[in-house]
Amino acid sequence: MSTRYKIHQNLISIGDDFWIEDHEGRKVYKVDGKILRIRKTLVFEDAKGKKLCQIKERLLTIKDTMVIEDPDGRDLAVLKKALITPFRDKWDVNVKGGPDLDVQGDILDHEYSIKQGWNKIAEVSKKWFRLTDTYGVEIDPGQNDILILAIAVAIDMMAHDDDDKKDKKKKKDK
């Protein structure tokens, strides 16, 4: 049976801390936004404060890139936004020591899937919740829940960072 988590999207911003809840509403993972760094960094912790992984923005890259690291700073996965996406958003996830993942769908509306080859291993959706600022992540059994949740949070952060850049450009052009 798959596991479902709940994330409040309006809380995902650098400098903010937020909780990821399980399907019963228990706070299971804390995400700590670090603001004292040049690059964006989010630290995933369990409910007791033990560091599980961290998400860092990779600076000086052509494409938007985020890195998910283990607690010791070793790369677990590298996320890159695909350059050409005519109909759907697409992200490539290079998983160190494991099969790569593809993320496709409507990222801004939180309706997308995470696939390993042709197999869907996780789904992100708002349709499970009445609250407009909340979305769920449903993960198939046998997957690395922390890695999948970190991918979802990193993509959310990168997608909304793109929105912020577009908004600033529109204001500047006026």
Side-chain angles (χ1 to χ4, degrees), residues 92-141:
D92 299 318
V93 183
N94 179 279
V95 179
K96 302 295 181 195
D100 292 343
L101 305 174
D102 292 315
V103 180
Q104 287 189 12
D106 188 342
I107 303 296
L108 291 177
D109 283 338
H110 297 94
E111 297 294 338
Y112 62 90
S113 59
I114 300 173
K115 293 183 176 182
Q116 182 179 317
W118 293 102
N119 300 320
K120 181 182 77 158
I121 62 166
E123 182 180 358
V124 175
S125 180
K126 287 180 115 175
K127 66 185 173 196
W128 304 316
F129 300 101
R130 290 190 183 125
L131 300 172
T132 58
D133 65 345
T134 303
Y135 65 95
V137 180
E138 185 173 41
I139 304 172
D140 287 354

Side-chain angles (χ1 to χ4, degrees), residues 57-93:
E57 179 180 40
R58 185 161 280 171
L59 300 175
L60 305 173
T61 58
I62 296 171
K63 295 191 271 185
D64 289 334
T65 304
M66 297 290 270
V67 179
I68 299 171
E69 299 175 344
D70 70 10
D72 298 319
R74 292 183 298 260
D75 286 3
L76 293 174
V78 178
L79 291 82
K80 292 183 182 178
K81 185 173 184 178
L83 287 177
I84 301 172
T85 55
F87 302 109
R88 304 177 73 147
D89 295 313
K90 183 175 182 325
W91 303 73
D92 299 318
V93 183

